[in-house]
């Protein structure tokens, strides 16, 4: 199971390191390895969230996410996205932006470097990605759920979450405060626009996905009822068609929002777009996809009930970090450790809860009076 799930990622990693060696010798290999580890550490919570959505999709759309999706993740977000940002903000076409990335200007030339242009665009990127992730966190934490992790805190939130559109209200107020206190006069308007676009993107993609998924559930329920009435088996509902397409689109936007901090953080290690694409994309993104598949196939989310909660709390923390990074630099190590800490705590809580249930089930097992096991007594009775 492990070999089958992670085998392709290992092969891609080896191939990427070989390409890095050919491209830039051992230094490039080391940089690729570092970027791969950075991406996995920053995106582990992304893998957990991806798994919660992916398990709702049909096998065909799961394969689409792992094939077409990885192409979008590697070439779209880790290679083309930085070029587009430089293109838009600096007025350079993609070819010029790529040339600038490969050939940094000499010091004192007066021309901004590729890295500097992308760093200057960070406030808008952080506002968009942070608001998208913050909306995701709010819609999860304000919903009434049977399973609660931090019940002392999640119960009151679920109670006030019954107020219609509370997530939008909180997100709007938060964006206003971020623009007022964390943005300078030069970026305040663009941060507001980027944040609102992040909110709109989340509402649109999530709303369309929910709409088509609801319609499909109704249709599948009718077919299921008809099948059972005819004596056939009950079918497990998986999203297909338009519902699956919008879930796929939702996953890609979610992956993009998670990758913003990784792409920006990569420039603290190297500004070479080829090394970034190899390290973040081919190595890091592939392993994140493999972790996602492993979680789905192993049923890990159902076995460890609080993992989804921990991932969403990590998302909430990441969104706050993105907001703060508009004004202050946050080390990528801190970002990665916060996500790992939440998910690790949720995993341990799940293990403790599972053991507690096992003990209570064992204590409630009826004991026979004559030293016979319940199965032996049943056999004797028969």
């Amino acid at each position: 199971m492990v070999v089958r799930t992670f085998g392709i990622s290992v092969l891609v990693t080896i191939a990427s390191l070989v390409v890095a060696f050919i491209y830039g010798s051992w230094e490039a290999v080391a940089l690729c390895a570092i970027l791969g580890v950075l991406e996995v550490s920053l995106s582990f919570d992304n893998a957990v969230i991806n798994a919660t959505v992916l398990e709702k999709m049909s096998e065909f759309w799961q394969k689409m996410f792992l094939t077409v999706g990885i192409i979008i993740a590697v070439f779209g977000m880790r290679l083309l996205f930085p070029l587009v940002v430089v293109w838009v903000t600096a007025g350079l076409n993609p070819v010029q932006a790529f040339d600038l990335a490969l050939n940094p200007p000499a010091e004192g030339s007066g021309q901004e470097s590729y890295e500097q242009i992308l760093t200057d665009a960070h406030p808008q990127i952080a506002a968009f990605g942070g608001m998208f992730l913050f909306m995701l966190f709010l819609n999860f934490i304000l919903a009434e759920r049977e399973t609660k992790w931090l019940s002392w805190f999640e119960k009151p939130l679920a109670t006030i979450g019954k107020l219609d559109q509370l997530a939008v209200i909180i997100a709007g107020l938060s964006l206003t405060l971020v623009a007022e206190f964390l943005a300078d006069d030069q970026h305040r308007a663009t941060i507001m626009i980027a944040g609102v676009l992040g909110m709109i993107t989340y509402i649109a993609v999530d709303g369309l996905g929910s709409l088509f998924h609801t319609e499909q559930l109704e249709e599948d329920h009718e077919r299921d009822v008809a099948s059972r009435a005819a004596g056939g088996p009950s079918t497990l509902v998986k999203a297909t068609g338009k519902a699956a397409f919008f879930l796929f689109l939702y996953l890609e936007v979610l992956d993009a929002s998670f990758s913003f901090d990784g792409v920006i953080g990569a420039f603290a290690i190297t500004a070479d777009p080829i090394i970034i694409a190899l390290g973040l994309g081919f190595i890091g993104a592939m392993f994140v996809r493999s972790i996602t598949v492993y979680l789905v196939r192993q049923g890990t989310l159902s076995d460890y009930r609080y993992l989804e909660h921990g991932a969403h709390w990590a998302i909430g923390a990441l969104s706050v970090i993105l907001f703060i990074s508009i004004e202050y630099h946050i080390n990528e190590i801190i970002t990665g450790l916060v996500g790992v800490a939440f998910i690790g705590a949720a995993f341990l809580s799940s293990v403790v809860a599972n053991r507690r249930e096992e003990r209570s089930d064992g204590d409630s097992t009826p004991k026979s009076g004559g030293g016979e096991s319940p199965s032996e007594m049943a056999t004797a009775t028969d």
Side-chain angles (χ1 to χ4, degrees):
M1 175 64 182
V2 174
V3 174
R4 186 176 62 182
T5 303
F6 291 92
I8 296 178
S9 294
V10 173
L11 292 176
V12 170
T13 297
I14 294 172
S16 299
L17 293 177
V18 170
V19 172
F21 179 78
I22 296 172
Y23 176 75
S25 73
W26 289 110
E27 181 182 357
V29 172
L31 292 174
C32 273
I34 292 171
L35 288 173
V37 173
L38 173 69
E39 178 69 9
V40 173
S41 64
L42 289 175
S43 299
F44 190 79
D45 44 359
N46 187 14
V48 176
I49 298 300
N50 285 349
T52 65
V53 179
L54 199 64
E55 64 183 4
K56 302 174 186 176
M57 301 166 70
S58 66
E59 185 178 352
F60 169 79
W61 281 100
Q62 288 183 0
K63 290 180 179 178
M64 286 290 288
F65 174 71
L66 297 172
T67 52
V68 177
I70 194 64
I71 295 174
I72 296 173
V74 174
F75 293 101
M77 282 310 302
R78 276 75 178 182
L79 183 61
L80 294 181
F81 168 71
L83 295 175
V84 170
V85 171
V86 174
W87 173 26
V88 172
T89 57
L92 302 175
N93 63 46
V95 175
Q96 291 173 324
F98 191 69
D99 180 67
L100 179 63
L102 292 177
N103 303 290
E107 292 185 13
S109 64
Q111 183 183 5
E112 279 192 306
S113 67
Y114 177 82
E115 177 185 359
Q116 185 58 49
I117 294 172
L118 195 60
T119 301
D120 291 342
H122 175 71
Q124 299 93 298
I125 297 171
F128 179 91
M131 191 51 60
F132 184 91
L133 295 177
F134 194 52
M135 285 290 296
L136 173 62
F137 167 71
L138 289 175
N139 275 281
F140 178 87
I141 209 67
L142 293 175
E144 181 62 46
R145 299 180 184 278
E146 182 179 350
T147 301
K148 293 179 176 61
W149 179 33
L150 307 175
S151 56
W152 56 273
F153 193 54
E154 292 179 1
K155 282 183 179 179
L157 289 176
T159 300
I160 64 173
K162 295 176 182 178
L163 177 63
D164 192 33
Q165 300 301 321
L166 180 61
V168 176
I169 295 172
I170 295 175
L173 289 174
S174 300
L175 178 59
T176 303
L177 293 174
V178 167
E180 179 64 27
F181 295 105
L182 293 177
D184 54 32
D185 295 336
Q186 180 183 356
H187 293 107
R188 185 167 291 120
T190 55
I191 286 173
M192 285 294 295
I193 293 172
V196 169
L197 288 176
M199 290 175 60
I200 292 173
T201 302
Y202 175 83
I203 294 170
V205 176
D206 182 64
L208 287 170
S210 299
L211 171 64
F212 289 116
H213 190 47
T214 301
E215 291 178 355
Q216 181 188 323
L217 286 175
E218 293 174 352
E219 294 174 2
D220 290 341
H221 177 69
E222 293 174 0
R223 286 196 297 267
D224 188 47
V225 171
S227 175
R228 282 182 291 176
S234 175
T235 57
L236 180 64
V237 176
K238 292 284 187 179
T240 58
K242 290 181 290 186
F245 171 75
F246 280 103
L247 284 176
F248 172 81
L249 184 61
Y250 173 79
L251 281 174
E252 291 307 316
V253 178
L254 181 62
D255 179 72
S257 299
F258 271 99
S259 66
F260 288 150
D261 58 332
V263 172
I264 299 297
F267 283 91
I269 299 171
T270 178
D272 192 312
I274 303 300
I275 300 298
I276 291 175
L278 289 172
L280 292 186
F282 285 101
I283 298 177
M286 277 298 300
F287 266 100
V288 172
R289 289 298 196 280
S290 294
I291 293 171
T292 300
V293 174
Y294 183 81
L295 293 174
V296 172
R297 291 177 178 172
Q298 288 291 102
T300 306
L301 296 180
S302 58
D303 293 339
Y304 301 97
R305 68 194 74 180
Y306 300 130
L307 271 184
E308 185 178 4
H309 293 71
H312 278 90
W313 277 102
I315 286 173
L318 176 58
S319 65
V320 173
I321 289 173
L322 283 172
F323 291 147
I324 295 174
S325 70
I326 291 174
E327 177 65 19
Y328 305 101
H329 173 71
I330 306 294
N331 192 289
E332 290 73 28
I333 296 177
I334 297 176
T335 304
L337 288 177
V338 167
V340 171
F342 272 110
I343 293 176
F347 174 79
L348 292 176
S349 298
S350 300
V351 172
V352 170
N354 289 342
R355 290 180 177 175
R356 188 183 298 120
E357 278 191 0
E358 290 174 0
R359 285 197 298 268
S360 63
D361 290 342
D363 293 340
S364 62
T365 302
K367 298 180 180 179
S368 56
E372 298 174 333
S373 67
S375 60
E376 291 171 337
M377 291 180 65
T379 303
T381 304
D382 292 339

